[in-house]
Amino acid sequence: MKVCVVGTGYVGLVAGTCFAEYGNDVICIDKDEKKISDLKKGIIPIYEPGLSELVERNYKEGRLKFSTSLKDGVESSEFVFIAVGTPTSDNGSADLRFVFAVAEEVGKTMNGYKIIVDKSTVPVGTADKVKEIVSKNTKHPFDVVSNPEFLKEGAAIEDFMRPERVVIGAESENAAKKMSELYSPFVLNGNPIITMSIRSAELTKYACNAFLATKISFVNEIANLCDALGANYDDVRKGMGTDSRIGRQFLYAGIGYGGSCFPKDVRALLRTAEEVNAPMHIIQSVEDVNEKQKTRLTDKIFEHFKSTDMKGKTFGIWGLSFKPGTDDMREAPSIPLIYELHKNGAKIQVFDPAAMETSKYYFDGKVEYKKDAYATLEGADAMLLLTEWREFREPDFNKIKSLLKSPLIFDGRNQYKPSLMNELGFTYYSIGNR
C-alpha cells in the first residue's frame, strides 16, 4: 500500500519506517529541510533502539522515502497520516495548529480519494475539525480516521511491529476496512484490531495514558507513606503486583513521570473535561502528586545536609532523560532537581548514556558534563541516580565509594537494595525503601 506520513518526529518516523518494513511504499514528509537531508544520509534525529538500522535498510531498498514536498506525498499515496507535534499550550490544552495546518494543505493538494489519519495524540473532536478544514479545500472524496499510537519510548519498534491492539476510529466502513488491511500483517499473532467511533478512539488514547499516570502517582504516594511509617515499599509492591486485578506493571516508585506523553496528555484531558463541565478530580490529583514527587529527592538531600544552602557541595548525577532507552528530556524529573540544586549553589557533574546533547538545551552553563558515570563522582559529596539505565544497575560500588568524598547515595529509582548498601557502608536514600 502507498502511505504518506506527515511529520518525522518520534511517532511519524517510527510509524513510517515500520510500515515500510512490512513492504508498503512510504514517503515521510517534513518541512525541516535539514532533518530530511539528514534522514537521507542515515542521520536519525531521535534516539530509539533499532530505528537507525530499519531506516537505513528500508531507505536503501526504496520502500522508504523522505521529502519536504507535502504535495508529492499526498498525490502519490492513499493513506495520509498526520503525525505532527501537539505541544501543551499555555492553558493546558493541546496545541493543534500544526495538525490543522497540515489538514489544510492536504485538502489543497488532494488528487483523488484519500484516507486521512490522525496519528498525533489529539483531543476529542479534532477529527471533526480536520474533516471540516479538508472539506473547505477540496472537492475530492475522503475519510478522516483516528488511529492513536501506543508506543513506549525505548521499545517503540516492538510496540509498533507487535501491537497489543490497534485502535481504529472511523465513520466509513471502507476506511475501517482499508485501515484493517494496512495493519493486518502486524497482528498475525491474534491481537485485536478494534474499530469504534472516532470520538471513542480519540478518548481511548487519553484514557490509557491517564490511567497509567494514575498508577504511577498512586504508588509514589504509597512509597512516601512507607517512608513515614517505616514500611518497605518494595515489599508492598510485590504484594500488590501479585494481585491479578492490579498487575505488576507501572508499580515502581520513583521521582515522578515525565516525557512527551503522560504530562501533556493528562493536562489535555483535564482541559477537555473542564470545557464540557465534567471535572476529573482524580486526574487533577495525579497531576498535582506528580509535580510534587519531582521534588522528593531534593527534599531528602536538604534534610540530610540539614540545609538548603548547597554552596561548596558537589553532586554526581547518573541519568538525565525522563526514562532509560531514550534521549528525550521533555518534563524529565532531572530538570527541576538540577535547577533547584544549582539555584542553591551546588556544583553538578552529570552523565547520561544518550541524553547529553539533548540536555544542553536545559542545563548548559548549570552542569559539568563528564565522559562516563564514574567521572561524575570524582570529588562529589553524593551520588544521585535519576534515570534507571541498565548500565547503572550493577556498578562497582567499591569504586563509587573510593571516588565520593563520603559514601552517600540518593537513589531516585530504587535500583539498589538497602540491605546491600548498608552492608557496604553507604548512607543510602531511596523512595519508600529501607
Side-chain angles (χ1 to χ4, degrees):
M1 295 185 173
K2 297 187 181 301
V3 178
C4 170
V5 179
V6 186
T8 59
Y10 191 84
V11 173
L13 187 57
V14 170
T17 303
C18 290
F19 280 135
E21 177 72 5
Y22 273 55
N24 297 289
D25 291 323
V26 180
I27 180 167
C28 289
I29 308 297
D30 202 293
K31 64 181 181 180
D32 187 329
E33 293 183 3
K34 184 180 185 307
K35 186 185 281 189
I36 292 298
S37 175
D38 284 347
L39 284 166
K40 289 178 178 179
K41 298 172 186 173
I43 301 171
I44 308 300
I46 58 175
Y47 177 86
E48 178 61 36
L51 181 59
S52 180
E53 295 84 353
L54 287 182
V55 169
E56 184 178 354
R57 179 168 69 247
N58 283 280
Y59 181 71
K60 183 179 179 180
E61 294 177 3
R63 291 187 298 271
L64 182 62
K65 299 181 176 66
F66 299 104
S67 175
T68 57
S69 173
L70 181 61
K71 183 175 185 293
D72 290 348
V74 172
E75 288 183 348
S76 64
S77 304
E78 181 177 6
F79 299 90
V80 180
F81 283 77
I82 301 177
V84 294
T86 55
T88 301
S89 61
D90 291 340
N91 65 4
S93 62
D95 185 343
L96 299 174
R97 286 176 298 165
F98 304 119
V99 172
F100 295 154
V102 170
E104 182 177 350
E105 287 302 309
V106 168
K108 289 177 180 178
T109 56
M110 282 171 55
N111 59 341
Y113 173 75
K114 308 291 175 185
I115 297 174
I116 301 168
V117 186
D118 284 336
K119 195 65 175 171
S120 303
T121 300
V122 293
V124 177
T126 300
D128 294 336
K129 294 176 183 176
V130 168
K131 183 177 180 180
E132 180 183 338
I133 291 168
V134 175
S135 296
K136 289 178 180 177
N137 290 281
T138 188
K139 296 187 182 301
H140 292 290
F142 67 93
D143 285 306
V144 176
V145 170
S146 174
N147 172 222
E149 54 86 13
F150 299 98
L151 306 179
K152 299 185 295 292
E153 292 190 40
I157 302 299
E158 179 70 14
D159 287 345
F160 200 99
M161 297 286 206
R162 297 173 183 80
E164 291 184 329
R165 79 293 202 194
V166 175
V167 172
I168 297 169
E171 296 173 348
S172 152
E173 269 188 42
N174 179 63
K177 180 171 178 282
K178 290 281 189 181
M179 288 289 292
S180 294
E181 289 172 0
L182 178 63
Y183 274 105
S184 61
F186 297 88
V187 291
L188 295 178
N189 58 4
N191 284 347
I193 294 176
I194 307 170
T195 57
M196 58 183 72
S197 72
I198 291 175
R199 287 188 167 229
S200 296
E202 290 171 330
L203 184 55
T204 297
K205 166 67 175 183
Y206 283 103
C208 288
N209 277 358
F211 184 79
L212 295 176
T214 300
K215 287 186 78 171
I216 294 170
S217 283
F218 176 82
V219 302
N220 281 336
E221 287 212 306
I222 294 294
N224 294 344
L225 186 59
C226 285
D227 273 336
L229 295 176
N232 188 301
Y233 177 71
D234 198 46
D235 293 334
V236 175
R237 174 182 63 80
K238 291 172 185 174
M240 292 172 62
T242 49
D243 187 324
S244 61
R245 297 167 301 175
I246 297 172
R248 293 181 172 87
Q249 291 187 314
F250 286 84
L251 293 187
Y252 292 92
I255 49 175
Y257 60 75
S260 62
C261 292
F262 286 4
K264 175 174 67 72
D265 292 353
V266 165
R267 290 172 197 146
L269 185 60
L270 286 169
R271 181 63 179 171
T272 295
E274 182 183 314
E275 289 172 352
V276 295
N277 196 29
M280 304 186 76
H281 304 295
I282 291 175
I283 304 305
Q284 182 60 65
S285 295
V286 168
E287 164 81 354
D288 296 342
V289 167
N290 191 62
E291 288 307 298
K292 179 64 177 172
Q293 194 68 15
K294 290 180 179 181
T295 70
R296 184 69 178 162
L297 209 61
T298 319
D299 292 341
K300 287 175 180 280
I301 293 168
F302 292 159
E303 287 169 15
H304 173 84
F305 288 106
K306 297 181 172 56
S307 174
T308 59
D309 184 359
M310 295 292 110
K311 290 175 184 173
K313 297 286 188 297
T314 299
F315 295 96
I317 291 182
W318 288 17
L320 300 171
S321 58
F322 87 93
K323 62 176 283 188
T326 181
D327 63 349
D328 197 338
M329 287 291 302
R330 286 172 286 186
E331 309 239 13
S334 64
I335 297 171
L337 184 146
I338 288 174
Y339 281 7
E340 187 69 13
L341 291 179
H342 178 265
K343 183 182 77 174
N344 285 278
K347 179 184 177 184
I348 304 164
Q349 302 171 168
V350 303
F351 174 76
D352 187 283
M356 299 282 266
E357 192 60 37
T358 311
S359 71
K360 289 178 182 177
Y361 173 81
Y362 302 92
F363 301 140
D364 205 15
K366 294 181 174 64
V367 303
E368 184 178 339
Y369 291 94
K370 295 293 186 177
K371 63 180 180 178
D372 59 49
Y374 292 109
T376 70
L377 306 181
E378 294 176 3
D381 293 274
M383 167 188 154
L384 279 58
L385 191 150
L386 306 185
T387 312
E388 63 276 32
W389 286 91
R390 288 178 182 173
E391 65 190 74
F392 298 158
R393 292 184 184 177
E394 292 189 346
D396 183 338
F397 288 109
N398 289 327
K399 186 173 183 178
I400 290 173
K401 203 171 181 180
S402 70
L403 291 169
L404 291 170
K405 286 182 183 177
S406 60
L408 175 60
I409 295 178
F410 293 90
D411 181 354
R413 298 298 179 184
N414 290 353
Q415 289 300 285
Y416 310 129
K417 292 184 182 299
S419 57
L420 176 62
M421 296 297 96
N422 293 334
E423 183 183 318
L424 293 174
F426 284 94
T427 300
Y428 177 72
Y429 294 91
S430 60
I431 309 297
N433 286 341
R434 61 185 61 239

